[in-house]
Each structure stands twice: as C-alpha cells, then as structure tokens.
Amino acid sequence: QRIYDRLGVSFEAVTGESFYSDKLEYTIREIEQAGITERSEGALVVPADENGQPPVLLRKRDGSTLYITRDVAAALYRHRTYRFDRALYVVGSPQALHFRQLFMVLKKMGLPWYRECHHVAFGQIRFKDGAMSTRRGNIVLLEEVLDRAGALAREIIEEKNPSLPDKDRVAEAVGTGAVIFNDLKNYRIKDITFDWDELMNFNGETGVYLQYTHARMKSLLKKYAEVRGRPELRAGLRYQDDDAMYALAVLLNDFEETVVRAAEEFEPSVISRYLLDLAARFNAFYTTHRVIIDDPELSLKRALVVSAVAKVLGRGLELLGVEPVEEM
C-alpha cells in the first residue's frame, strides 16, 4: 500500500485469493449443474470447445483446486456483488490462455455477461541486460526504481532550478511520473526496455518532457497575468486568423475523442501519444509566436491558446496518473 500511495493508486475493495476458498465447492457444483463437466482419470474438467480451446482442469483427482477454479468463483462473486458493466483483468500477456479458458467456462455456463469480461494484456519490462525473473533472482523492486527516479529528478532540479520551492515533493512527482509514463507511452502489449538515460530526457518522449512543457506554460501564463491580468475569452476572437493557432485549436478538439478511444480499446498509450503530439506542436508554436506582445488582442489570443493547451495537457497527464506540476 505504501507503494500504491506513491503511485496515486487507490482501491475501493481488496480481496485476496483466500477470500474465495469457502466459495469453491459451491462454484464447482454450479459448474456441474450447468452440465458442462466430465471426469477424466478422476479429475473434473470442462472439455475443449469447438474453437480449439484446450480442456479446463477444475479439480485434480486428489480433490485440490487450481487458479482457474478460483477465478471462476471470483467472476461469479464479482458479478453478483457489483453487477459490473465490464470486468477488466489487467494481467501480463503470458496468461492469455488462462483467461481464454476462464471466459470459455463462463460462456459454457450460459452466462451472457462473459462478453463483458476482458483480458487487458500487457508486455514485459526488460532492462538492457534482459528480462527480469524471480526464478533467476534478478528481480528489480519497484520501490527501488521510484527511489532512484526521484533522486535523479532531484539532481536535475538542483542543477537547473536550485531555488525551486518544495523541491522534494516536485522531485517525487517528476520521478514517479517518469516511471509511470515510460510504462504507458507505448502499446501495452509491447515489451518495454527500461533505460535510465532515456527516462529523464527533457527532449525525448518522456513524462519529464510533458511535465516540463506544462510547467513552462504555467510560468508563461503567470507572467501574462502580471502584465495584462488573467486571460479571459472575449467575443469575436477568431483563431482562424493564424494557421498555427487554429491547428492547435483543432488538435485540442480531438482530446475528448482520444479519451473515449483509449477507454474503448483499454489502451492508455492512445492518450500518451496524443499528449506527446500536443506538446510537440505547442513547443513548435511557442518558438515562433511570442505571447506577451504590444498588440493586446493578439496577445490575448495566444495566451488563450496557451491556457487551453495547459488545461488539456494537465488533464491528460492526470488521466495517466502523472502529476502535472506547476514548476520544475
């Protein structure tokens, strides 16, 4: 829970594997009553289906049950308890067969809600010298990764902005955000190569780059407010007067559709890639468009663009679990 707290992750309910121990016999009886089981050398199995899924072993000949039995019990309990619209099993891709078998059992039991159960598979994390493995003894603890990422962020802050207030909190947010974004920036099914040199790159496809871009925008808006007050929309302003501003406005309009697509595909990287594109286009815009200028109306237009991009970028980072810091 300490690590979850650092990641900003919370749960409304936590039930371990043992929670379903007293529900297994009832679950097995329910599966048998559905008429889909048979005996094989003393073991209880659900036979293979017409699509070539292999048989599912529910109980061994010695009476012991397996993971699949507990997962069926868990699925039945969760549906009866929560009446879920969707059940997402976020588990590594090596377990794909296990979940195909689980959903096959639910389907054979005649439960129409099996269609709303989805295996959200993801790839493995690899370091440059190979994949991690508990069996080989070369595991890397997430807490150690977060500690080191925070320490690297603190070093960068000390170098670039030593007078920054609340440096420890910002370093923790930047370090943790870098680790999270590194995991979510590519398609989830792909294996990830963890590279410390890339992780904290201010110019790469990183969480640090996005947080820094967000902080730059917040700093710019603060300066604008000091000169002209808070940028507020006025009737009659037209972004079409400037191709670069209009292009950014169009891209901002895609944010809602991007979030919906990410949800429908169970694919966080859809949001990640959008945010990287948004930040890149904004930075290109910012290099050619000064915001605080003598022309008050044009200055307001550009400040409104900055404000809108900052809002969308910040919200997108929050959806990914990355804190959009105000200063870096």
Side-chain angles (χ1 to χ4, degrees):
Q1 188 57 52
R2 182 180 68 254
I3 298 172
Y4 280 133
D5 289 341
R6 293 181 67 174
L7 295 171
V9 175
S10 60
F11 299 93
E12 294 180 0
V14 177
T15 51
E17 185 180 350
S18 61
F19 177 82
Y20 300 100
S21 296
D22 61 354
K23 300 170 179 58
L24 295 179
E25 287 304 316
Y26 176 82
T27 298
I28 289 175
R29 286 200 303 271
E30 194 168 351
I31 299 172
E32 288 181 310
Q33 289 169 3
I36 63 172
T37 61
E38 62 182 32
R39 295 285 174 176
S40 175
E41 299 180 0
L44 183 67
V45 301
V46 175
D49 68 2
E50 64 279 3
N51 296 320
Q53 295 292 354
V56 178
L57 178 61
L58 295 174
R59 185 161 57 190
K60 298 178 182 179
R61 61 188 301 174
D62 62 5
S64 60
T65 55
L66 296 93
Y67 285 124
I68 191 75
T69 322
R70 295 170 181 80
D71 272 342
V72 174
L76 297 175
Y77 171 82
R78 289 165 182 163
H79 189 263
R80 288 165 182 158
T81 303
Y82 302 111
R83 295 292 172 181
F84 55 75
D85 294 306
R86 285 180 177 176
L88 309 183
Y89 292 82
V90 186
V91 183
S93 54
Q95 299 301 320
L97 174 60
H98 173 87
F99 287 103
R100 288 200 302 269
Q101 290 182 305
L102 170 62
F103 303 153
M104 179 190 77
V105 173
L106 298 176
K107 178 181 179 181
K108 283 192 170 189
M109 291 178 69
L111 303 172
W113 47 266
Y114 85 91
R115 298 184 182 88
E116 306 307 328
C117 297
H118 303 272
H119 176 207
V120 183
F122 57 87
Q124 294 180 305
I125 297 177
R126 303 176 183 275
F127 281 74
K128 287 184 177 180
D129 55 353
M132 295 180 289
S133 170
T134 53
R135 292 180 181 178
R136 291 201 301 266
N138 64 340
I139 63 168
V140 178
L141 299 178
L142 177 56
E143 190 166 27
E144 294 176 355
V145 172
L146 295 176
D147 287 344
R148 184 177 176 189
L152 289 173
R154 178 62 188 263
E155 290 177 7
I156 294 171
I157 291 171
E158 290 290 357
E159 177 187 345
K160 296 180 177 291
N161 191 6
S163 61
L164 177 70
D166 206 3
K167 286 185 280 192
D168 288 338
R169 190 197 65 78
V170 174
E172 172 73 9
V174 171
T176 301
V179 174
I180 293 173
F181 190 80
N182 187 69
D183 191 25
L184 300 181
K185 70 179 180 180
N186 295 313
Y187 287 116
R188 56 177 165 80
I189 201 66
K190 292 179 63 177
D191 290 346
I192 299 168
T193 299
F194 196 96
D195 185 343
W196 282 110
D197 294 331
E198 173 61 24
L199 194 74
M200 308 303 292
N201 186 348
F202 276 69
N203 298 311
E205 295 185 339
T206 63
V208 178
Y209 166 69
L210 294 179
Q211 287 174 308
Y212 182 63
T213 299
H214 182 267
R216 286 180 70 193
M217 286 187 281
K218 286 295 185 178
S219 175
L220 178 59
L221 291 171
K222 184 178 179 180
K223 291 178 181 177
Y224 180 92
E226 292 171 355
V227 175
R228 301 189 182 279
R230 294 186 60 185
E232 296 180 0
L233 184 62
R234 296 175 189 166
L237 287 179
R238 292 168 55 84
Y239 291 129
Q240 291 94 325
D241 295 340
D242 184 290
D243 290 341
M245 284 195 289
Y246 183 65
L248 271 173
V250 170
L251 184 58
L252 290 173
N253 195 52
D254 292 338
F255 180 58
E256 182 177 348
E257 182 180 338
T258 298
V259 173
V260 171
R261 180 186 158 204
E264 290 176 343
E265 297 178 7
F266 317 126
E267 185 56 78
S269 69
V270 171
I271 296 176
S272 302
R273 307 314 300 184
Y274 170 86
L275 296 182
L276 289 169
D277 186 21
L278 179 63
R281 293 201 197 186
F282 169 78
N283 284 318
F285 164 83
Y286 185 54
T287 59
T288 56
H289 292 70
R290 287 182 56 215
V291 174
I292 304 175
I293 56 177
D294 292 335
D295 184 335
E297 184 167 303
L298 183 57
S299 185
L300 173 61
K301 287 182 180 182
R302 293 177 178 177
L304 287 171
V305 169
V306 176
S307 179
V309 174
K311 183 177 181 180
V312 170
L313 181 56
R315 185 63 184 129
L317 287 171
E318 289 173 347
L319 288 173
L320 296 175
V322 177
E323 181 182 342
V325 296
E326 302 278 320
E327 294 181 275
M328 278 181 67

